[in-house]
Structure formats: structure tokens, C-alpha cells
Amino acid sequence: HMGTKGRSLNDTLQRLESTVDDGDHYEALQKYKTLYARHQKKTPEAVQILVSGSRALLNRGHTNAGHELAMLLQGILKDEKATSDNVSLLSDVFSSYNDKDESDRLRQAFINAAIRWASSQPDPSYKQGTAQLNLIMAKFCREKGDFVTAQKYYVCANSPQALAQMLLEWVPACKPSERDLLVARAVLQYLASGAKDVQGANTVYNVFTQTSPPPGPPSPLLNFLRFLLIALEKGTTAQPLFQLLCQRYQPSLKRDPEFEIFLSQIAQSFFNMGGAPPGGLPGMGGLGGLGGALSGM
């Protein structure tokens, strides 16, 4: 049952939308802000005004004005729960940003604020919202061909299957000799994210190496990944094995300076080891006589 209040708000929003259509977006923005100020204390109405206003402006390419209302919306939602309804309102606003490059920075600021909001929810049942928001951004970046940014968001979304599929799309842009770097970056970044999801990391590794194996025999870096995943499945008892692998494969791990950062995060997360010693991968010393145990690698 919609009271006259609800009806009159809808009418007002429709009138404002035609103001935007008439081309006076600055005047429309001021009116939306005035209307919002009047309803600020009533959350559902305030949300409705800001969603309607930001979408009306963004859809017509008034990105800065629309973004201003979109960020006010984030401000109201701060004290609200990350319900699926709220998450889908945010995804509607996200999809209203246009495809011009100058929108990208604002769109990213908007989605990052939304992700921070969803991930700060104390109730674990809202985890899904955080994943959904990360996925929205991951898909957007992937469609634009910005695989580097997409990878970060897929990792945060804990979405190994989608991450693996994206890597396969990325392969043609890669030198054959660097394909192993592609999968290593993804697997190590995924393991370093703190989710401790070895099974997901295995999915990324397996889908990639089975569907698009780099030419020739497996490189030392691929062997390292395979042994690392086995070690992490064994749990904390595998710490000496982990340290040994990092030592044994150090030349391959130096191919990308980020690997050292990821591995020290993995050391912390899986084995409660402090950060890596400066200039070295985790645990380069003190391995005693373990060298012989893996000499067959």
C-alpha cells in the first residue's frame, strides 16, 4: 500500500528526471540534493532519491553530478546491512556509469567504497554481498581487457573458476615463454589473499595447465607451484617443505619481484611465520639437512 507520500515522491522523482532530460543537469542535481536533505532522516526515501537521481544523471552521461549523488548514497548505507536488495541497488548504480574512460576512476571509487562497506559488516552472512560487488568490478575490467585489475577483484571475490577462465582469455596477449608467469601470479596472489583456499588455487592451476599448457616441458616455476600446492594441503607440518621450496626455486621466483611479497603473505597466513627477511624469500636459512629429502625435485 503506497500512501500519498510515496506517490508524491515518485511523481517528484519523475519530474526531476525530465529536468535532466531537458538538459539542465546542474539544476537537477541541486534539486535532488535539496529533496534528499528533506528526507535524510527517513532512510528508505533517502535511498530511493539518491538511487533515482544518480542513475538519471549517470545514464545521460553527467558523470560527475551522478557520482556525487552515488557517493551520498554510500554515506547513508554506511549504517545499513549489506542485504541482497542493497547490493543490487549498488550494482544498478554501478552499471549506470558510462563507458567513457574518464568515468572509470569514479566508477572504481564508487565500487571500492561499496566493497569496503560490505566487507566491514560484522555479520558473516553478508560475505556474499562483498563477493558479488567484487565480481561486478572484475567482470567490468575483464570486458575492457584490463586483466591486471580484473585479477585483483576476482581474487577478492574468491572466484577461482572465473579467474582461471579469464587467464585463458589473457593467454593470446602473452609471450609463450611468459605463460607460466601468468598462472603463477594468479595462484600466488590468490593464496596470499588470506582466504587460505588451497582448493581454489588448485582449480586455477589445473584449469590453466590442462587447457592452455605452456609449450614444452613444465618450467621450474610451474613445478614450484605444483609442489607448493601439495605442501599447503598438508597444513602447518609442511613449513620446512615450504621453506625448502622457496629456497630451491629462488632463481625462478626472482622472475617477478611481486612473488616475494605474495610468498611472505602466504608464510604468514599458512604457517604464522613473520615477514620475509629483507632481500630474501621466507626462511632461506636454518634448513639443516633437509636438502637431500627433495634432491629428486
Side-chain angles (χ1 to χ4, degrees), residues 257-282:
E258 265 197 308
F259 290 167
E260 186 172 335
I261 300 162
F262 293 149
L263 285 164
S264 73
Q265 288 166 332
I266 291 167
Q268 180 75 55
S269 169
F270 285 87
F271 304 111
N272 291 320
M273 294 161 67
L281 284 154

PDB file of all heavy atoms in Angstrom, residues 257-282:
ATOM      1  N   PRO A 257      59.237  -9.546  -9.119  1.00  0.00           N
ATOM      2  CA  PRO A 257      59.503  -9.045  -7.758  1.00  0.00           C
ATOM      3  C   PRO A 257      58.303  -9.191  -6.809  1.00  0.00           C
ATOM      4  O   PRO A 257      58.469  -9.244  -5.601  1.00  0.00           O
ATOM      5  CB  PRO A 257      59.854  -7.569  -7.972  1.00  0.00           C
ATOM      6  CG  PRO A 257      59.491  -7.250  -9.380  1.00  0.00           C
ATOM      7  CD  PRO A 257      59.445  -8.532 -10.151  1.00  0.00           C
ATOM      8  N   GLU A 258      57.086  -9.279  -7.383  1.00  0.00           N
ATOM      9  CA  GLU A 258      55.908  -9.410  -6.515  1.00  0.00           C
ATOM     10  C   GLU A 258      55.829 -10.772  -5.821  1.00  0.00           C
ATOM     11  O   GLU A 258      55.186 -10.910  -4.781  1.00  0.00           O
ATOM     12  CB  GLU A 258      54.624  -9.197  -7.330  1.00  0.00           C
ATOM     13  CG  GLU A 258      54.122  -7.770  -7.251  1.00  0.00           C
ATOM     14  CD  GLU A 258      52.668  -7.657  -7.704  1.00  0.00           C
ATOM     15  OE1 GLU A 258      52.347  -8.133  -8.811  1.00  0.00           O
ATOM     16  OE2 GLU A 258      51.870  -7.084  -6.946  1.00  0.00           O
ATOM     17  N   PHE A 259      56.471 -11.788  -6.415  1.00  0.00           N
ATOM     18  CA  PHE A 259      56.370 -13.134  -5.825  1.00  0.00           C
ATOM     19  C   PHE A 259      56.834 -13.141  -4.376  1.00  0.00           C
ATOM     20  O   PHE A 259      56.287 -13.830  -3.529  1.00  0.00           O
ATOM     21  CB  PHE A 259      57.181 -14.154  -6.646  1.00  0.00           C
ATOM     22  CG  PHE A 259      56.579 -14.464  -7.995  1.00  0.00           C
ATOM     23  CD1 PHE A 259      57.298 -15.146  -8.971  1.00  0.00           C
ATOM     24  CD2 PHE A 259      55.277 -14.074  -8.291  1.00  0.00           C
ATOM     25  CE1 PHE A 259      56.739 -15.435 -10.208  1.00  0.00           C
ATOM     26  CE2 PHE A 259      54.706 -14.354  -9.532  1.00  0.00           C
ATOM     27  CZ  PHE A 259      55.442 -15.043 -10.492  1.00  0.00           C
ATOM     28  N   GLU A 260      57.892 -12.366  -4.105  1.00  0.00           N
ATOM     29  CA  GLU A 260      58.435 -12.344  -2.746  1.00  0.00           C
ATOM     30  C   GLU A 260      57.382 -11.830  -1.753  1.00  0.00           C
ATOM     31  O   GLU A 260      57.223 -12.359  -0.652  1.00  0.00           O
ATOM     32  CB  GLU A 260      59.683 -11.457  -2.708  1.00  0.00           C
ATOM     33  CG  GLU A 260      60.374 -11.522  -1.368  1.00  0.00           C
ATOM     34  CD  GLU A 260      61.717 -10.791  -1.381  1.00  0.00           C
ATOM     35  OE1 GLU A 260      62.326 -10.650  -2.460  1.00  0.00           O
ATOM     36  OE2 GLU A 260      62.144 -10.368  -0.291  1.00  0.00           O
ATOM     37  N   ILE A 261      56.637 -10.798  -2.184  1.00  0.00           N
ATOM     38  CA  ILE A 261      55.593 -10.228  -1.314  1.00  0.00           C
ATOM     39  C   ILE A 261      54.504 -11.271  -1.086  1.00  0.00           C
ATOM     40  O   ILE A 261      54.079 -11.525   0.046  1.00  0.00           O
ATOM     41  CB  ILE A 261      54.983  -8.956  -1.959  1.00  0.00           C
ATOM     42  CG1 ILE A 261      56.078  -7.906  -2.167  1.00  0.00           C
ATOM     43  CG2 ILE A 261      53.843  -8.403  -1.114  1.00  0.00           C
ATOM     44  CD1 ILE A 261      55.728  -6.813  -3.160  1.00  0.00           C
ATOM     45  N   PHE A 262      54.053 -11.902  -2.184  1.00  0.00           N
ATOM     46  CA  PHE A 262      52.995 -12.912  -2.051  1.00  0.00           C
ATOM     47  C   PHE A 262      53.449 -14.051  -1.138  1.00  0.00           C
ATOM     48  O   PHE A 262      52.696 -14.518  -0.283  1.00  0.00           O
ATOM     49  CB  PHE A 262      52.616 -13.489  -3.427  1.00  0.00           C
ATOM     50  CG  PHE A 262      51.942 -12.504  -4.348  1.00  0.00           C
ATOM     51  CD1 PHE A 262      52.108 -12.612  -5.729  1.00  0.00           C
ATOM     52  CD2 PHE A 262      51.143 -11.486  -3.855  1.00  0.00           C
ATOM     53  CE1 PHE A 262      51.486 -11.711  -6.597  1.00  0.00           C
ATOM     54  CE2 PHE A 262      50.519 -10.571  -4.705  1.00  0.00           C
ATOM     55  CZ  PHE A 262      50.689 -10.696  -6.084  1.00  0.00           C
ATOM     56  N   LEU A 263      54.693 -14.505  -1.319  1.00  0.00           N
ATOM     57  CA  LEU A 263      55.163 -15.661  -0.531  1.00  0.00           C
ATOM     58  C   LEU A 263      55.312 -15.308   0.943  1.00  0.00           C
ATOM     59  O   LEU A 263      55.069 -16.150   1.803  1.00  0.00           O
ATOM     60  CB  LEU A 263      56.474 -16.213  -1.110  1.00  0.00           C
ATOM     61  CG  LEU A 263      56.237 -17.010  -2.407  1.00  0.00           C
ATOM     62  CD1 LEU A 263      57.536 -17.198  -3.170  1.00  0.00           C
ATOM     63  CD2 LEU A 263      55.585 -18.369  -2.117  1.00  0.00           C
ATOM     64  N   SER A 264      55.679 -14.063   1.237  1.00  0.00           N
ATOM     65  CA  SER A 264      55.766 -13.748   2.668  1.00  0.00           C
ATOM     66  C   SER A 264      54.361 -13.646   3.274  1.00  0.00           C
ATOM     67  O   SER A 264      54.148 -14.007   4.428  1.00  0.00           O
ATOM     68  CB  SER A 264      56.632 -12.516   2.936  1.00  0.00           C
ATOM     69  OG  SER A 264      55.962 -11.367   2.540  1.00  0.00           O
ATOM     70  N   GLN A 265      53.362 -13.233   2.458  1.00  0.00           N
ATOM     71  CA  GLN A 265      51.974 -13.244   2.953  1.00  0.00           C
ATOM     72  C   GLN A 265      51.477 -14.680   3.147  1.00  0.00           C
ATOM     73  O   GLN A 265      50.758 -14.980   4.106  1.00  0.00           O
ATOM     74  CB  GLN A 265      51.059 -12.475   1.983  1.00  0.00           C
ATOM     75  CG  GLN A 265      51.296 -10.958   2.040  1.00  0.00           C
ATOM     76  CD  GLN A 265      50.668 -10.203   0.869  1.00  0.00           C
ATOM     77  OE1 GLN A 265      50.498 -10.747  -0.230  1.00  0.00           O
ATOM     78  NE2 GLN A 265      50.337  -8.941   1.086  1.00  0.00           N
ATOM     79  N   ILE A 266      51.872 -15.556   2.252  1.00  0.00           N
ATOM     80  CA  ILE A 266      51.487 -16.977   2.372  1.00  0.00           C
ATOM     81  C   ILE A 266      52.146 -17.582   3.619  1.00  0.00           C
ATOM     82  O   ILE A 266      51.513 -18.311   4.389  1.00  0.00           O
ATOM     83  CB  ILE A 266      51.878 -17.748   1.082  1.00  0.00           C
ATOM     84  CG1 ILE A 266      50.999 -17.290  -0.090  1.00  0.00           C
ATOM     85  CG2 ILE A 266      51.774 -19.259   1.277  1.00  0.00           C
ATOM     86  CD1 ILE A 266      51.477 -17.739  -1.466  1.00  0.00           C
ATOM     87  N   ALA A 267      53.429 -17.237   3.836  1.00  0.00           N
ATOM     88  CA  ALA A 267      54.153 -17.739   5.016  1.00  0.00           C
ATOM     89  C   ALA A 267      53.432 -17.316   6.295  1.00  0.00           C
ATOM     90  O   ALA A 267      53.251 -18.105   7.231  1.00  0.00           O
ATOM     91  CB  ALA A 267      55.582 -17.196   5.016  1.00  0.00           C
ATOM     92  N   GLN A 268      52.981 -16.058   6.286  1.00  0.00           N
ATOM     93  CA  GLN A 268      52.274 -15.512   7.446  1.00  0.00           C
ATOM     94  C   GLN A 268      50.935 -16.221   7.653  1.00  0.00           C
ATOM     95  O   GLN A 268      50.594 -16.661   8.745  1.00  0.00           O
ATOM     96  CB  GLN A 268      52.057 -14.016   7.179  1.00  0.00           C
ATOM     97  CG  GLN A 268      51.343 -13.258   8.273  1.00  0.00           C
ATOM     98  CD  GLN A 268      52.253 -13.003   9.466  1.00  0.00           C
ATOM     99  OE1 GLN A 268      53.315 -12.446   9.308  1.00  0.00           O
ATOM    100  NE2 GLN A 268      51.839 -13.442  10.632  1.00  0.00           N
ATOM    101  N   SER A 269      50.202 -16.340   6.551  1.00  0.00           N
ATOM    102  CA  SER A 269      48.831 -16.836   6.626  1.00  0.00           C
ATOM    103  C   SER A 269      48.771 -18.337   6.930  1.00  0.00           C
ATOM    104  O   SER A 269      47.968 -18.787   7.751  1.00  0.00           O
ATOM    105  CB  SER A 269      48.166 -16.490   5.287  1.00  0.00           C
ATOM    106  OG  SER A 269      46.954 -17.118   5.140  1.00  0.00           O
ATOM    107  N   PHE A 270      49.626 -19.127   6.277  1.00  0.00           N
ATOM    108  CA  PHE A 270      49.531 -20.591   6.433  1.00  0.00           C
ATOM    109  C   PHE A 270      50.395 -21.128   7.566  1.00  0.00           C
ATOM    110  O   PHE A 270      50.087 -22.162   8.141  1.00  0.00           O
ATOM    111  CB  PHE A 270      49.915 -21.287   5.119  1.00  0.00           C
ATOM    112  CG  PHE A 270      48.851 -21.206   4.061  1.00  0.00           C
ATOM    113  CD1 PHE A 270      48.782 -20.120   3.208  1.00  0.00           C
ATOM    114  CD2 PHE A 270      47.906 -22.222   3.917  1.00  0.00           C
ATOM    115  CE1 PHE A 270      47.792 -20.040   2.228  1.00  0.00           C
ATOM    116  CE2 PHE A 270      46.919 -22.161   2.941  1.00  0.00           C
ATOM    117  CZ  PHE A 270      46.864 -21.062   2.098  1.00  0.00           C
ATOM    118  N   PHE A 271      51.511 -20.440   7.865  1.00  0.00           N
ATOM    119  CA  PHE A 271      52.467 -21.005   8.840  1.00  0.00           C
ATOM    120  C   PHE A 271      52.764 -20.052   9.997  1.00  0.00           C
ATOM    121  O   PHE A 271      53.677 -20.296  10.781  1.00  0.00           O
ATOM    122  CB  PHE A 271      53.781 -21.378   8.132  1.00  0.00           C
ATOM    123  CG  PHE A 271      53.580 -22.334   6.983  1.00  0.00           C
ATOM    124  CD1 PHE A 271      53.780 -21.913   5.676  1.00  0.00           C
ATOM    125  CD2 PHE A 271      53.166 -23.639   7.210  1.00  0.00           C
ATOM    126  CE1 PHE A 271      53.570 -22.795   4.609  1.00  0.00           C
ATOM    127  CE2 PHE A 271      52.961 -24.521   6.146  1.00  0.00           C
ATOM    128  CZ  PHE A 271      53.163 -24.094   4.840  1.00  0.00           C
ATOM    129  N   ASN A 272      52.024 -18.935  10.072  1.00  0.00           N
ATOM    130  CA  ASN A 272      52.271 -17.933  11.120  1.00  0.00           C
ATOM    131  C   ASN A 272      53.731 -17.503  11.206  1.00  0.00           C
ATOM    132  O   ASN A 272      54.247 -17.240  12.286  1.00  0.00           O
ATOM    133  CB  ASN A 272      51.833 -18.457  12.494  1.00  0.00           C
ATOM    134  CG  ASN A 272      50.325 -18.573  12.559  1.00  0.00           C
ATOM    135  OD1 ASN A 272      49.621 -17.702  12.058  1.00  0.00           O
ATOM    136  ND2 ASN A 272      49.852 -19.665  13.139  1.00  0.00           N
ATOM    137  N   MET A 273      54.423 -17.501  10.054  1.00  0.00           N
ATOM    138  CA  MET A 273      55.808 -17.048  10.057  1.00  0.00           C
ATOM    139  C   MET A 273      55.792 -15.535   9.884  1.00  0.00           C
ATOM    140  O   MET A 273      54.974 -15.005   9.141  1.00  0.00           O
ATOM    141  CB  MET A 273      56.575 -17.657   8.869  1.00  0.00           C
ATOM    142  CG  MET A 273      56.740 -19.167   8.967  1.00  0.00           C
ATOM    143  SD  MET A 273      57.118 -19.899   7.337  1.00  0.00           S
ATOM    144  CE  MET A 273      58.752 -19.234   7.021  1.00  0.00           C
ATOM    145  N   GLY A 274      56.697 -14.830  10.535  1.00  0.00           N
ATOM    146  CA  GLY A 274      56.789 -13.368  10.364  1.00  0.00           C
ATOM    147  C   GLY A 274      57.138 -13.050   8.925  1.00  0.00           C
ATOM    148  O   GLY A 274      57.357 -13.947   8.115  1.00  0.00           O
ATOM    149  N   GLY A 275      57.217 -11.771   8.595  1.00  0.00           N
ATOM    150  CA  GLY A 275      57.535 -11.363   7.222  1.00  0.00           C
ATOM    151  C   GLY A 275      58.864 -11.935   6.756  1.00  0.00           C
ATOM    152  O   GLY A 275      59.702 -12.343   7.565  1.00  0.00           O
ATOM    153  N   ALA A 276      59.057 -11.939   5.472  1.00  0.00           N
ATOM    154  CA  ALA A 276      60.302 -12.476   4.913  1.00  0.00           C
ATOM    155  C   ALA A 276      61.463 -11.584   5.322  1.00  0.00           C
ATOM    156  O   ALA A 276      61.304 -10.381   5.447  1.00  0.00           O
ATOM    157  CB  ALA A 276      60.206 -12.503   3.397  1.00  0.00           C
ATOM    158  N   PRO A 277      62.643 -12.179   5.544  1.00  0.00           N
ATOM    159  CA  PRO A 277      63.812 -11.348   5.830  1.00  0.00           C
ATOM    160  C   PRO A 277      64.082 -10.441   4.635  1.00  0.00           C
ATOM    161  O   PRO A 277      63.847 -10.849   3.509  1.00  0.00           O
ATOM    162  CB  PRO A 277      64.940 -12.373   5.993  1.00  0.00           C
ATOM    163  CG  PRO A 277      64.450 -13.624   5.348  1.00  0.00           C
ATOM    164  CD  PRO A 277      62.961 -13.594   5.449  1.00  0.00           C
ATOM    165  N   PRO A 278      64.519  -9.208   4.878  1.00  0.00           N
ATOM    166  CA  PRO A 278      64.743  -8.290   3.752  1.00  0.00           C
ATOM    167  C   PRO A 278      65.671  -8.927   2.734  1.00  0.00           C
ATOM    168  O   PRO A 278      66.668  -9.549   3.090  1.00  0.00           O
ATOM    169  CB  PRO A 278      65.390  -7.064   4.395  1.00  0.00           C
ATOM    170  CG  PRO A 278      65.407  -7.302   5.865  1.00  0.00           C
ATOM    171  CD  PRO A 278      64.919  -8.669   6.159  1.00  0.00           C
ATOM    172  N   GLY A 279      65.299  -8.788   1.480  1.00  0.00           N
ATOM    173  CA  GLY A 279      66.171  -9.267   0.412  1.00  0.00           C
ATOM    174  C   GLY A 279      66.163 -10.773   0.234  1.00  0.00           C
ATOM    175  O   GLY A 279      66.898 -11.312  -0.561  1.00  0.00           O
ATOM    176  N   GLY A 280      65.302 -11.478   0.950  1.00  0.00           N
ATOM    177  CA  GLY A 280      65.292 -12.928   0.746  1.00  0.00           C
ATOM    178  C   GLY A 280      63.888 -13.456   0.856  1.00  0.00           C
ATOM    179  O   GLY A 280      63.046 -12.855   1.489  1.00  0.00           O
ATOM    180  N   LEU A 281      63.626 -14.589   0.231  1.00  0.00           N
ATOM    181  CA  LEU A 281      62.311 -15.212   0.354  1.00  0.00           C
ATOM    182  C   LEU A 281      62.199 -15.839   1.734  1.00  0.00           C
ATOM    183  O   LEU A 281      63.192 -15.997   2.431  1.00  0.00           O
ATOM    184  CB  LEU A 281      62.140 -16.247  -0.756  1.00  0.00           C
ATOM    185  CG  LEU A 281      61.863 -15.571  -2.094  1.00  0.00           C
ATOM    186  CD1 LEU A 281      62.305 -16.432  -3.249  1.00  0.00           C
ATOM    187  CD2 LEU A 281      60.399 -15.230  -2.224  1.00  0.00           C
ATOM    188  N   PRO A 282      60.972 -16.239   2.140  1.00  0.00           N
ATOM    189  CA  PRO A 282      60.795 -16.754   3.503  1.00  0.00           C
ATOM    190  C   PRO A 282      61.778 -17.866   3.831  1.00  0.00           C
ATOM    191  O   PRO A 282      61.926 -18.815   3.053  1.00  0.00           O
ATOM    192  CB  PRO A 282      59.376 -17.302   3.491  1.00  0.00           C
ATOM    193  CG  PRO A 282      58.712 -16.687   2.325  1.00  0.00           C
ATOM    194  CD  PRO A 282      59.751 -16.224   1.379  1.00  0.00           C
TER     195      PRO A 282
END
